[in-house]
Amino acid sequence: MYTPDQFSGAMKSQRSNTASRLRGQCAVLFGPSVKDSDLHYSNPQLRNEKFRDRIGWVDNGEGSGTFSNLDVEILHKDYSGSFDLKTAFLNPILMRVYVAIIRGPTSAKELMNGFPSHPRTDTMAQKHGIRHTTPGAIASAVILSRWALSSDNFLQRVGNNTGIHYANDFDMYLRILMTGLRQRKKSILNVFREWDRVIFPNSNSGLAAQGQEISSGLRMAMEMLEADEEEV
């Protein structure tokens, strides 16, 4: 959905939509495992107490801790307690969050019940002709999911309560996904195939379609990204 350079602008323009679609629909998007009183979602302190372990909190054993950007339960399917490339980016919650953004919360609920839908209303998917999964889509879904369950009131570069570096983490997830695509790594290709299978089952334009090579334009862009200088 976004490139790293667009992240700040996207956060500003979609704060209200994100709040209404994600925190207003948490029981739908995040499923039975977080289905509790709405108070948990509206109160930052209660969100912190109930959900921080799911979004990367690591306790140092001395009454404090910090948030990891990889050892994150909500990032994984069947989380084992630490980052695992084989299950990373495959949590169904991430897919529902993405569907809620591009098609609306009702479609996300139907997806949870195993029935992907395509509303006739004017959705982001229709406006932008979204027909397959992209690295930015997955990275955005991870960030939005972590933020929705966090104690942070607004989506910004660094969480005002958690200190989570959302912009930096987005950049890191994006780099992992794009590098995996460029190098045709099995685990990352599987992520894109699974997302397309669930969200775009009728699409034949997926970036990791079986036997499909990355286009020369996309390959060049990823090579340029990999060679780009890092800002200190």
Side-chain angles (χ1 to χ4, degrees):
M1 293 168 67
Y2 310 131
T3 63
D5 290 341
Q6 294 172 326
F7 190 78
S8 295
M11 286 189 293
K12 292 179 181 178
S13 66
Q14 293 201 19
R15 279 178 187 169
S16 61
N17 285 338
T18 300
S20 62
R21 290 186 176 182
L22 299 186
R23 285 201 177 131
Q25 297 288 333
C26 274
V28 171
L29 299 177
F30 294 92
S33 58
V34 296
K35 196 169 185 178
D36 274 301
S37 168
D38 289 342
L39 185 61
H40 285 124
Y41 311 121
S42 60
N43 186 300
Q45 182 176 347
L46 290 178
R47 289 199 304 270
N48 180 63
E49 293 173 358
K50 188 164 184 65
F51 304 129
R52 69 178 184 178
D53 290 341
R54 301 194 66 188
I55 61 173
W57 176 256
V58 179
D59 197 316
N60 65 5
E62 300 178 357
S64 61
T66 187
F67 284 92
S68 172
N69 48 20
L70 290 177
D71 298 334
V72 179
E73 179 182 340
I74 206 168
L75 175 65
H76 296 79
K77 180 179 181 181
D78 302 323
Y79 185 55
S80 62
S82 61
F83 180 74
D84 186 345
L85 193 58
K86 294 181 180 179
T87 62
F89 305 108
L90 288 174
N91 193 325
I93 288 175
L94 306 178
M95 302 179 199
R96 293 199 292 269
V97 166
Y98 178 55
V99 168
I101 297 300
I102 66 170
R103 295 176 186 159
T106 300
S107 292
K109 182 177 181 179
E110 293 176 350
L111 182 68
M112 185 168 64
N113 295 327
F115 302 102
S117 65
H118 301 272
R120 296 182 180 180
T121 55
D122 194 15
T123 64
M124 181 183 293
Q126 292 173 331
K127 286 182 180 178
H128 299 284
I130 301 173
R131 297 184 177 86
H132 61 253
T133 307
T134 64
I138 299 174
S140 297
V142 179
I143 293 299
L144 292 170
S145 297
R146 294 181 68 195
W147 173 80
L149 295 182
S150 78
S151 61
D152 295 320
N153 295 311
F154 303 103
L155 181 60
Q156 49 195 17
R157 295 187 66 85
V158 180
N160 62 310
N161 291 324
T162 64
I164 293 175
H165 289 257
Y166 292 110
N168 289 346
D169 289 357
F170 170 85
D171 193 3
M172 182 189 64
Y173 299 144
L174 189 67
R175 187 175 293 275
I176 292 172
L177 292 162
M178 295 187 75
T179 300
L181 271 179
R182 179 174 60 83
Q183 297 179 359
R184 307 296 286 173
K185 296 297 184 180
K186 183 177 180 179
S187 57
I188 297 300
L189 293 177
N190 180 59
V191 169
F192 284 89
R193 290 182 182 126
E194 182 63 12
W195 276 62
D196 284 340
R197 183 189 70 80
V198 173
I199 304 174
F200 305 101
N202 299 318
S203 175
N204 59 4
S205 61
L207 299 180
Q210 187 67 36
Q212 176 177 316
E213 292 296 326
I214 300 177
S215 70
S216 59
L218 179 58
R219 186 184 301 279
M220 180 182 67
M222 288 194 289
E223 289 175 351
M224 291 174 65
L225 177 65
E226 188 69 18
D228 192 19
E229 297 181 358
E230 295 185 0
E231 184 174 326
V232 179

